[in-house]
Amino acid sequence: MKCPGQDLGRKNPADAAYDIPCYNCNKPVEFFFDDLSRKCPYCSVRIEKDDAQLLKDYGCAVWCKEAEKCLGAERYARFMEIMETKKGGLENCVKND
C-alpha cells in the first residue's frame, strides 16, 4: 500500500521542498517534507524543522492507523509530542493548506 498522506502527487510543489535559513550562517538549507533535520552544506550545523512545519508535513499522522509504522518511532514520537504541547496547532496548519 502506498501512503496517501505522503504521496508527492498530492502535494503542492511548494510544500514538498522548501528552504529554511541556517541558524548559524543564515544561508538556505533545502528541506523536503519528510526530513526532520538537515546538515547545512555551508557550515555543517544541523538544522531542525520547526514545530509548525512538522505539523503541516505530517498532519496525516493524526488520522492514519499506520502512522507510527510509516513515520518511524522517532518522527512519530516527535509529532505526538508537538501535538500535546500545541493545542490547536494542527487545525491552524490544516487551514493553510
Side-chain angles (χ1 to χ4, degrees):
M1 176 183 102
K2 186 173 182 177
C3 174
Q6 297 298 309
D7 181 4
L8 280 175
R10 295 175 51 145
K11 290 207 175 282
N12 177 336
D15 293 336
Y18 43 85
D19 291 337
I20 295 176
C22 174
Y23 310 139
N24 186 53
C25 69
N26 207 35
K27 293 195 176 173
V29 179
E30 185 176 40
F31 271 75
F32 297 93
F33 73 96
D34 58 347
D35 290 327
L36 282 178
S37 66
R38 304 271 323 231
K39 189 163 85 169
C40 176
Y42 303 99
C43 69
S44 300
V45 168
R46 180 138 310 265
I47 307 301
E48 300 286 327
K49 188 180 284 187
D50 70 23
D51 291 351
Q53 192 64 49
L54 194 66
L55 285 172
K56 184 175 182 180
D57 289 347
Y58 295 117
C60 56
V62 170
W63 53 264
C64 182
K65 65 182 178 183
E66 300 293 328
E68 187 170 8
K69 186 168 78 172
C70 179
L71 298 178
E74 180 187 356
R75 276 192 189 109
Y76 185 74
R78 179 72 179 128
F79 179 85
M80 295 310 290
E81 177 184 317
I82 293 167
M83 286 296 296
E84 288 298 315
T85 59
K86 290 191 177 264
K87 300 295 182 196
L90 183 63
E91 290 80 9
N92 292 334
C93 290
V94 171
K95 288 178 187 172
N96 292 330
D97 284 350

